[in-house]
Structures are given as C-alpha cells and as structure tokens.
Amino acid sequence: MSTRAGQWIGGRLPSWPARDPYLLLLTFILPLGGVVLVASARVPVVLAGDSVFERVSVQQMVLAGVGVVLALGLSAVNYRRYVRIAPFGLAGALIALVGVLFVEDATSLFAARRWFRVGGLTLQPSEFAKVAMVVMLAALAQHYGGRIREIRVSILVMGGVVAVVVLPIVLEPDLGAAITIAFVGFAMIFAAGARLWHLLLGFASLVPVALISISQNAYQRERLFTFLSGDPDVARTGYQAAQAQIAMGSGGITGRGLGLGTQKFRLPIPDSDAVFAVLGEEFGFVGTGLVLVLFLALFVRGIQIAAATDDVFGRLLAIGIVTQLCFQAFVNMAVVTGLTPVTGITLPFISRGGSSLLASMILMGILMNVARQSDLGRSE
C-alpha cells in the first residue's frame, strides 16, 4: 500500500476485530431487517400483478448490500481527512438541494419536489445534505474551539450552516425533514459548547419559517390541525395515521407473522414512511421493541465513542451521527404511533429508499472509523 493511501485510511485496512463489534452488528442487522420488511410490505403490489421478480424488493436488497460494503469501506478511511473536504461536501449538497427545486424533470410527490431521477432510481439530496451538515458542523467546532460560546460563531456561522441546509428543504416543501435536520444541527452546536440561550434564539428564528411553510401548504395545515384536534378525519388527512395505529394495535405481543399483516393493503406507503406499522402488525410488541432497543443501543454506543474520542472533530462527528440516525428513527416511530403529526420521515436503514439507506450507511461507516481510533478502539 502506498504511503499516501496508508495515510488516508489511517495506516492499514482494519481487520474484523479492529472494527467496533457493536456497530458492525448493527450495520448488518438493521439493513437486513429492512430488506425483509420491505419485501413483506410490497406483497400488495405483487398480488396486483406488478412482476414476478418484484423490482423494488430486489432494489432494496441490492442497495443494502452496497450500503454494507460502503460502510465497511468508509470504516477504513481516517475520519480526520473529512475536515479538508467538508466545505466541498456542503457546497455540493447545497447545489443539489437548490437544483431539485428548478430541474424540470425532478420527481415530485404530493406537490413536493424532493428527488432527482437517475436512470431507474431516484436521488433525494436532503438525505446526503444531512451527512454534509454533520461533517461541516464538526469541522467548524474544531476550527473555532472555545469561540463557540460567542454568538457570532454559534449562531451566525454554525447556525448559518444549519439555516442554508434547512431553508431549501422547507421550500421543497419537506417541513418534517427540515425540523429534524435543524434539531440535529442545534444539538451539535450545543454539544460543541454553545450557550443555551444562543440555541433558543436559533430555534426561535426558525419558528417564522415553519409558520410560513404551514400557511403556504394546505396538506401541512391539514395534518397539523388533524393532530391537534384529537379527532382524526380517517377518510382524508387522518387516514394514514389511523391505519398505522390499527396495524400497531392488531399486532399484539408477538404479531400476526411475517407476511400475514393486512393493514399494508390499506396504508398509503407501507414500505417507506409506515414500515414501522408493518413491523408492529407482523412482529408485534416484540418486534417493535427489538428495533427500538437496537436504536437505543446505537445511541448509547455513539455517546460512548464520543466520550472516548480525544479530538473535537471526532467527538462531534459521533454525537452528530447518532443524533441524526436515532432522532430520525424516533420521529418516524412517533408518527406511526400517533405521538406527532404525520410527516414523510423514513425509518433509517429499514424504510424503502436508496438515498436514505445509503446516507445512513455512510454515517455508520464514518462512526466505525471514529470508534476504531478512539480509546474504545484501542482498548478492545
């Protein structure tokens, strides 16, 4: 191996024992669970005569395999190298976020323009913008150090990065994703050492943006009012939430069994936003509880890695990655169980969607490298 390549990956390719065993296990289990659930959720399409060799399920399987290889490859790349390319990654993400609003053949759904079509696949820039934002904020935290406590750094610089990522996503419109990304961004800024009142000011500045988005998009208003009323309109705006909760309730303790759920015939997008409902019906409380435990384990391990990392960049990367993955998972589960208004937030690793899956696996690969070079990696 050349000297340059050795420096880039941190000296040598890590052996299997050198990779964090907990993260390695999650890297395989979560996408595998996604492949199984997506295939089950696509049963209504197969029965409708889509094709014998069902296209979407095969795509999910292939993407999961590619994602695992990508995560393992990135686990060998020295995470400190990302400091240099962070601005370019953010610039590329912003170009894609703005471009999707103007490209004529951008794919739209429910009047939202969020995807580029690339061959037979769709690319959602906001998913990769999450990765770029996490890396950029961690790089800025290392650059500014103790100056994070100054409002011009915490709000104008780092908060500005959050804002330029969030605003195009609001315009798509995708308010749920924008709120999730904003939460992760400000959580990272707080973890970097910013004052609490700076964060409150930052959140307050985004409230008018959210209100304007809700006022300009009828479906967002209807979803919000339906949730706040406590009396869902099951024939219209409350239909998805109602069907998801029926699925969760009918699963009981152990579920109906893989492939035997019936609510997926009624759920609008059972293999994406509502895949957790399919899990609840077919595997019951045991299945949903297991997935919840896996995400909690990911969060705890990420915090342990952050605490054992001796540089600011690595510590903030670990915090940002697990906050992004686990908070997004929490929001998806909260939507399905009726704790929050309906949003189009996917369940990381598990929901159908190549952009979401690959972005999640990129984050896992980076986290595995941080773990490898932390005190945990050196001691295990």
Side-chain angles (χ1 to χ4, degrees):
M1 181 182 298
S2 68
T3 302
R4 181 179 293 275
Q7 289 175 345
W8 177 261
I9 67 172
R12 60 183 176 84
L13 286 171
S15 62
W16 284 95
R19 293 186 175 94
D20 187 282
Y22 304 100
L23 296 181
L24 194 61
L25 188 63
L26 292 171
T27 300
F28 281 93
I29 288 179
L30 288 170
L32 177 61
V35 169
V36 172
L37 283 172
V38 166
S40 178
R42 297 294 294 181
V43 166
V45 178
V46 175
L47 295 180
D50 185 293
S51 66
V52 177
F53 203 57
E54 216 282 301
R55 180 175 57 87
V56 173
S57 298
V58 174
Q59 283 182 353
Q60 188 73 11
M61 185 182 303
V62 172
L63 287 168
V66 171
V68 169
V69 173
L70 182 61
L72 295 179
L74 289 173
S75 72
V77 177
N78 189 332
Y79 71 87
R80 296 179 181 89
R81 301 295 175 180
Y82 298 129
V83 173
R84 297 179 182 177
I85 64 174
F88 303 101
L90 181 64
L94 293 178
I95 291 171
L97 284 175
V98 174
V100 80
L101 301 175
F102 296 99
V103 174
E104 290 297 326
D105 61 350
T107 303
S108 63
L109 181 64
F110 305 130
R113 299 176 66 84
R114 304 173 185 171
W115 302 269
F116 289 113
R117 184 170 293 281
V118 182
L121 301 175
T122 54
L123 177 67
Q124 187 170 3
S126 62
E127 293 294 337
F128 299 101
K130 298 171 184 177
V131 179
M133 185 194 73
V134 167
V135 176
M136 188 66 200
L137 289 178
L140 287 172
Q142 176 170 278
H143 175 73
Y144 284 104
R147 293 179 60 195
I148 293 292
R149 296 182 66 80
E150 300 175 11
I151 192 169
R152 61 182 177 180
V153 174
S154 62
I155 297 299
L156 297 183
V157 178
M158 298 185 71
V161 169
V162 177
V164 297
V165 172
V166 166
L167 290 178
I169 297 174
V170 172
L171 294 175
E172 291 179 354
D174 191 353
L175 187 59
I179 291 173
T180 302
I181 292 173
F183 177 88
V184 173
F186 284 114
M188 288 185 68
I189 295 171
F190 180 69
R195 299 176 189 271
L196 180 59
W197 73 270
H198 292 178
L199 298 189
L200 297 177
L201 179 62
F203 275 117
S205 67
L206 293 177
V207 171
V209 176
L211 293 177
I212 292 172
S213 178
I214 292 170
S215 69
Q216 296 297 312
N217 295 283
Y219 79 94
Q220 292 179 1
R221 290 197 305 275
E222 291 172 352
R223 288 176 173 180
L224 179 61
F225 293 154
T226 297
F227 173 77
L228 294 176
S229 69
D231 185 19
D233 179 1
V234 296
R236 294 180 65 251
T237 55
Y239 178 81
Q240 180 175 333
Q243 298 303 323
Q245 290 172 50
I246 291 171
M248 295 292 291
S250 63
I253 300 297
T254 58
R256 296 176 181 267
L258 177 63
L260 301 180
T262 58
Q263 286 302 114
K264 59 194 173 191
F265 289 88
R266 301 178 179 89
L267 286 164
I269 315 178
D271 55 352
S272 183
D273 303 349
V275 72
F276 192 67
V278 176
L279 172 68
E281 184 176 17
E282 299 189 354
F283 292 93
F285 177 78
V286 173
T288 55
L290 175 60
V291 170
L292 179 60
V293 167
L294 290 176
F295 276 103
L296 287 174
L298 173 59
F299 183 78
V300 170
R301 190 57 175 175
I303 298 303
Q304 289 177 333
I305 292 167
T309 302
D310 56 9
D311 68 289
V312 173
F313 182 60
R315 183 164 63 250
L316 264 292
L317 271 181
I319 291 173
I321 288 170
V322 296
T323 303
Q324 175 62 66
L325 294 172
C326 297
F327 183 69
Q328 182 174 330
F330 167 77
V331 172
N332 177 274
M333 296 176 191
V335 167
V336 169
T337 53
L339 297 177
T340 63
V342 173
T343 65
I345 298 295
T346 56
L347 185 59
F349 306 104
I350 296 175
S351 291
R352 173 180 62 83
S355 297
S356 174
L357 177 58
L358 293 179
S360 298
M361 298 301 277
I362 288 171
L363 291 173
M364 284 294 284
I366 296 172
L367 183 61
M368 279 195 282
N369 188 264
V370 177
R372 176 195 171 203
Q373 301 191 58
S374 69
D375 290 341
L376 289 175
R378 290 189 288 267
S379 63
E380 293 180 355

